[in-house]
Amino acid sequence: MPKKYHIPVENTPPRFLVVGKYATLEFREDCAGSCRECVKKKCVYDIFKENQQHISSMDEPEYLYTCMSCFRCVQECTKGIFSRVINPDYRSLGDDYWHADIISRTWYQAHTGKIPVSGAGYRGPFVGKGFDSMWTDMSEIVRPTRDGIHGREYINTSIELSRRLTRLQFNEDMSIASKLPPIMEIPLPLLFQLPDFGVLGQGVAESIARAAHRLGTLLFIRPEQYSDALSAYTDSLIPCLTKDNYTEHPSLIKQSRMIELEYKTGIGQEISAVRAINPDVIVSVGIPLNSRAAERAVVLTQDDVDTLHFYADNHGNELGSDDPRFLKEMIREIHLRLVKGLIRQKVKLIFSGGIAMAEHMAKSIICGADGASIDIPLLIALECQVCYRCKKDQPCPVSLEEVEPEWGSKRIMNLMGAWRNQLLEVMGAMGIREARRLCGEVGRSMWFEDLEKECFGPLFGERKVKGLGC
Amino acid sequence: MQPNITIFHCINTFADGNFLPVGDNVNCELNMVKLPCSGMVKDVFLLRAFESGADAVIVMACPEGECRHVEGNIRAQKRVEWTKKILDEIGLDSRRLTLVNISPGDVNSAIDAIQQTISSLADFIPNPPATVRETAVA
């Protein structure tokens, strides 16, 4: 039996104190003093014990916000001296898409490699924008011993990045007559790319490349970002070339397993030229995710491209539109256009931009993507606070320029381990054992728009105001 | 060297002290510490601020009866009084530490309190830790 794919995780503490969410407000003047039922001694996370140590060493007050929000102290204190508060710095983390909860949970996963669990349960809204208006069908969740992380049966998360023939042809002696294209498979439906902002020093690039190498996935990288330190990971790098500069990098094309060409009209000639240099290379084309993306996908698929890589903006929105559609609608459009043209099987679709959580990866695949490419979550795993100070040439609060590659790669592997475990849980609960089988499987999902139409449409008619939360 | 003032403020008075329009005529270094409630202020934090070189410390709390946590501002007042005694005992002058009650969004009162503190700084002897730090830098 072949060895199961497994991501080793290892506790990798952060270099700086994390911006915690909760703290307890304590009116200690009301404390009974030598109470035998003192909840401070009963705290399962030893928060109060650690607080005492911090106070004795006069540390900065960030340590206050390490509470896990289990409410035990609030509920059980005989004098009721505790109440729970939220750290004001936590509230101001990130932006309206990369919000504090996403950042905080990514830090946790990068630290521990475990799936984050909320102590006080989910108290958020029923539905939200983007991926939050879509749910996965967990109706097969009744078999925890068979499926999921601890299940006895293997769930395959690998995907292909190479093109496929739509049919095979055979000779009279039943040998294959079709010329088979090269096959390339990665064990995760995730690829990496370097973000378009952030302190992208050598340590950050090497951390990501090393993690990609160990995980068996790939990193999209521009030729000018190559360095001697990355030479050990050549197998895991995808050079992103353009129509103008690909002739300057024949050695990169020869040594790489996969390359990406930026989309330009008439790119077919360059694809042929690249294959002439290295016939086994897998060719991807990077396409901006705009209103013309679907029609370009159809043309490029007929040109025998292996993979199409669509770039949305950092919030997962369509580019170049006053009224942008979200990633999930764009994926559906492209996927269905290819299905309608009977060419979906030929090509692989990768989407990047706005993939912030493990569930976004699973939901993208359900919408019709083969895989996703991530950038900002990798930076967050290295403790980035998405404060955008680097964009204003201000110093990074977590000194990303000083990241040590071994530490950084462990943090990224932890994050990927947690994400893969979540994908396994979702797929196990859906009764699906192959990430490839999940692609376009919208029958295993529920969409708010459809449910609303189904439930309330007959009573109230069509929605008069566009969008959610109106 | 500019005077250094540390301000502990409740986020219910104003969301972020770093955006206070103090103006260019305020010639001092302001170090803002946001707190979910002024009741989170402890004597160790106040003393820690002085130890770090603050020439004055201001605690900005909600007016009495308006605390979101019922009596956080009253607790803060008590802790400030307690810390003032310690400051007097160690010869640092308790007037360096003040608590002001500010209604939510009343930016003008906050700026007035800062300016008043700056003008009173001339009466105090320099904070010893700050002097040590300046000497080390020199």
Side-chain angles (χ1 to χ4, degrees):
Chain A
M1 191 175 171
K3 198 179 167 191
K4 284 183 180 179
Y5 179 71
H6 174 71
I7 298 176
V9 295
E10 185 183 332
N11 202 43
T12 313
R15 296 168 299 150
F16 295 84
L17 278 170
V18 295
V19 182
K21 183 172 185 180
Y22 297 110
T24 44
L25 178 61
E26 177 190 343
F27 291 161
R28 59 185 164 153
E29 289 85 355
D30 292 346
C31 177
S34 54
C35 174
R36 286 186 182 175
E37 299 297 322
C38 183
V39 288
K40 287 185 173 183
K41 291 173 192 162
K42 290 181 181 172
C43 176
V44 290
Y45 299 106
D46 276 344
I47 299 295
F48 298 99
K49 193 176 163 191
E50 286 175 13
N51 273 2
Q52 287 303 324
Q53 287 163 359
H54 286 291
I55 285 173
S56 60
S57 61
M58 297 286 266
D59 276 350
E60 298 298 328
E62 281 85 1
Y63 71 83
L64 284 171
Y65 302 103
T66 46
C67 170
M68 303 298 277
S69 185
C70 70
F71 285 117
R72 186 175 183 181
C73 56
V74 177
Q75 283 189 320
E76 292 186 7
C77 176
T78 52
K79 291 285 182 181
I81 67 168
F82 294 101
S83 53
R84 197 201 60 176
V85 287
I86 295 179
N87 182 357
D89 283 331
Y90 181 88
R91 291 175 191 269
S92 56
L93 272 180
D95 58 27
D96 59 344
Y97 186 84
W98 296 91
H99 52 80
D101 284 341
I102 290 180
I103 296 172
S104 172
R105 284 171 197 170
T106 306
W107 284 339
Y108 174 83
Q109 292 170 80
H111 178 171
T112 62
K114 293 177 184 168
I115 298 175
V117 179
S118 168
Y122 178 72
R123 293 181 305 282
F126 175 66
V127 65
K129 288 179 182 172
F131 285 118
D132 288 343
S133 66
M134 177 184 174
W135 299 277
T136 52
D137 177 356
M138 303 277 204
S139 56
E140 303 286 329
I141 207 164
V142 291
R143 299 169 182 141
T145 55
R146 196 186 76 179
D147 304 313
I149 313 171
H150 306 293
R152 62 178 181 270
E153 290 192 20
Y154 187 58
I155 295 177
N156 188 359
T157 55
S158 63
I159 59 162
E160 287 159 22
L161 294 174
S162 46
R163 66 189 184 280
R164 276 189 191 172
L165 297 175
T166 46
R167 66 170 70 87
L168 289 175
Q169 290 175 330
F170 294 90
N171 297 317
E172 282 188 2
D173 62 351
M174 293 311 287
S175 59
I176 295 176
S178 310
K179 193 182 173 204
L180 296 176
I183 295 173
M184 183 172 177
E185 196 177 84
I186 53 171
L188 274 178
L190 271 177
L191 295 99
F192 297 163
Q193 63 192 57
L194 294 175
D196 56 5
F197 73 93
V199 185
L200 304 175
Q202 195 54 53
V204 172
E206 199 178 339
S207 300
I208 298 174
R210 194 179 291 187
H213 185 72
R214 287 177 179 169
L215 291 164
T217 186
L218 301 158
L219 163 66
F220 291 97
I221 188 167
R222 291 196 302 275
E224 61 270 20
Q225 291 168 322
Y226 270 75
S227 66
D228 291 343
L230 301 185
S231 57
Y233 315 112
T234 312
D235 262 8
S236 307
L237 304 180
I238 305 174
C240 298
L241 306 173
T242 64
K243 197 173 183 174
D244 302 325
N245 74 0
Y246 81 97
T247 48
E248 297 163 18
H249 303 285
S251 58
L252 280 184
I253 297 172
K254 277 181 192 161
Q255 72 189 27
S256 305
R257 290 196 292 160
M258 180 171 177
I259 66 125
E260 177 165 298
L261 287 168
E262 187 187 346
Y263 177 79
K264 284 275 161 58
T265 313
I267 195 78
Q269 289 176 359
E270 282 70 31
I271 295 169
S272 306
V274 164
R275 288 205 174 117
I277 297 171
N278 181 357
D280 290 333
V281 76
I282 304 296
V283 180
S284 160
V285 176
I287 309 168
L289 192 64
N290 56 24
S291 57
R292 300 193 60 195
E295 68 184 73
R296 285 171 179 165
V298 172
V299 173
L300 286 167
T301 305
Q302 284 157 350
D303 281 349
D304 280 346
V305 173
D306 292 281
T307 298
L308 300 176
H309 180 187
F310 295 93
Y311 289 85
D313 72 6
N314 284 340
H315 291 188
N317 289 325
E318 178 185 6
L319 299 170
S321 168
D322 295 333
D323 184 17
R325 287 171 290 172
F326 188 67
L327 192 59
K328 74 182 201 311
E329 281 82 29
M330 296 300 290
I331 298 174
R332 289 300 295 154
E333 187 193 7
I334 295 166
H335 172 75
L336 290 176
R337 185 77 69 88
L338 294 174
V339 169
K340 198 176 170 191
L342 307 177
I343 48 177
R344 177 64 185 90
Q345 294 275 338
K346 285 182 75 176
V347 75
K348 301 291 170 269
L349 305 179
I350 301 292
F351 289 83
S352 61
I355 307 290
M357 296 195 281
E359 65 177 67
H360 295 175
M361 163 182 65
K363 287 175 178 176
S364 301
I365 298 172
I366 289 172
C367 287
D370 286 283
S373 179
I374 54 168
D375 45 11
I376 298 177
L378 302 173
L379 266 195
I380 300 174
L382 303 178
E383 291 188 280
C384 174
Q385 297 183 351
V386 199
C387 60
Y388 301 115
R389 277 179 218 163
C390 46
K391 281 188 174 178
K392 302 171 200 157
D393 288 333
Q394 291 172 351
C396 177
V398 290
S399 307
L400 274 179
E401 65 279 5
E402 291 168 13
V403 163
E404 206 274 311
E406 186 57 24
W407 174 87
S409 65
K410 278 183 189 169
R411 296 267 301 185
I412 292 170
M413 286 183 69
N414 281 351
L415 179 67
M416 290 302 103
W419 278 33
R420 182 170 182 268
N421 280 347
Q422 287 169 79
L423 182 63
L424 293 180
E425 286 291 288
V426 167
M427 285 170 61
M430 286 197 285
I432 290 178
R433 303 184 178 287
E434 274 271 352
R436 286 174 282 204
R437 173 75 182 76
L438 190 65
C439 174
E441 184 61 74
V442 281
R444 283 277 173 210
S445 68
M446 292 164 284
W447 296 50
F448 173 71
E449 292 84 356
D450 297 340
L451 295 176
E452 189 191 41
K453 209 179 280 177
E454 231 169 70
C455 298
F456 299 112
L459 296 173
F460 303 112
E462 282 198 9
R463 182 184 265 272
K464 304 281 187 303
V465 186
K466 197 184 166 198
L468 297 167
C470 298
Chain B
M1 195 77 176
Q2 286 183 335
N4 184 336
I5 300 179
T6 299
I7 300 173
F8 291 89
H9 71 89
C10 167
I11 53 162
N12 297 310
T13 55
F14 40 86
D16 194 339
N18 291 316
F19 297 110
L20 267 186
V22 284
D24 297 334
N25 54 344
V26 175
N27 187 25
C28 71
E29 193 182 321
L30 295 178
N31 179 21
M32 296 286 179
V33 182
K34 283 184 276 187
L35 293 170
C37 174
S38 56
M40 281 193 88
V41 159
K42 291 181 184 174
D43 42 9
V44 279
F45 301 159
L46 300 172
L47 293 172
R48 165 75 174 168
F50 286 114
E51 194 206 12
S52 308
D55 293 297
V57 172
I58 309 173
V59 178
M60 294 185 177
C62 301
E64 277 191 34
E66 290 182 27
C67 177
R68 195 172 170 172
H69 295 272
V70 187
E71 50 185 39
N73 47 6
I74 299 169
R75 311 275 173 168
Q77 178 73 50
K78 284 182 184 172
R79 290 169 197 170
V80 165
E81 292 303 326
W82 165 252
T83 313
K84 274 173 172 264
K85 280 183 196 165
I86 299 174
L87 289 178
D88 274 336
E89 274 178 33
I90 60 177
L92 254 187
D93 198 332
S94 62
R95 287 177 298 162
R96 288 176 190 276
L97 174 60
T98 46
L99 181 138
V100 285
N101 295 107
I102 291 172
S103 300
D106 187 1
V107 175
N108 292 332
S109 300
I111 294 171
D112 284 348
I114 295 169
Q115 281 171 341
Q116 215 170 329
T117 307
I118 293 170
S119 57
S120 65
L121 276 177
D123 303 339
F124 309 146
I125 56 159
N127 182 8
T131 321
V132 171
R133 195 185 55 185
E134 275 174 43
T135 318
V137 170

